[in-house]
Amino acid sequence: QVQLVESGGGLVQAGGSLRLSCAASGRTFSNYAMGWFRQAPGKDREFVAAISWSGGSTYYADSVKGRFTISRDNAKNTVYLQMNSLKPEDTAVYYCAAALNFRGSLAGEQYAYGYWGQGTQVTVSS
């Protein structure tokens, strides 16, 4: 089992920045690829970004490319999502997820991830 706890969400004005963190415990963190997903009110959960177990490969949704950066610190069992130039449409609950047998071609697929956190709310005001 892997337990994931997100933090860092909050209220920010459009154009501002936030950094989300996801702390993992339970199994060897460095064995897992990590992803961030989000779900806005009334919408399906969608892929945001993912990172391979080593951090050598990253993947982004088109809607966040150039604004968001995913990174990880395996020594701290933590994955981060730096979000810059935030827009009101980025408002959502953000979830981190862990995938053991990860393939880059499935980075955006929710079924590829076996463990999920409870989410953290991000609200961007206009």
Side-chain angles (χ1 to χ4, degrees), residues 13-73:
Q13 289 188 331
S17 298
L18 280 176
R19 188 176 82 155
L20 305 183
S21 299
C22 174
S25 62
R27 291 290 181 98
T28 305
F29 178 70
S30 58
N31 287 346
Y32 292 81
M34 300 297 295
W36 286 97
F37 291 77
R38 67 187 181 186
Q39 186 168 21
K43 295 188 177 181
D44 292 335
R45 189 159 57 184
E46 64 176 6
F47 170 71
V48 175
I51 188 167
S52 63
W53 66 271
S54 67
S57 298
T58 56
Y59 311 84
Y60 295 95
D62 288 343
S63 59
V64 306
K65 277 180 184 176
R67 300 188 299 122
F68 290 11
T69 302
I70 189 171
S71 62
R72 67 189 296 159
D73 185 339

Side-chain angles (χ1 to χ4, degrees), residues 92-108:
V93 177
Y94 283 71
Y95 300 89
C96 74
L100 182 57
N101 297 309
F102 181 78
R103 289 185 289 168
S105 59
L106 299 180

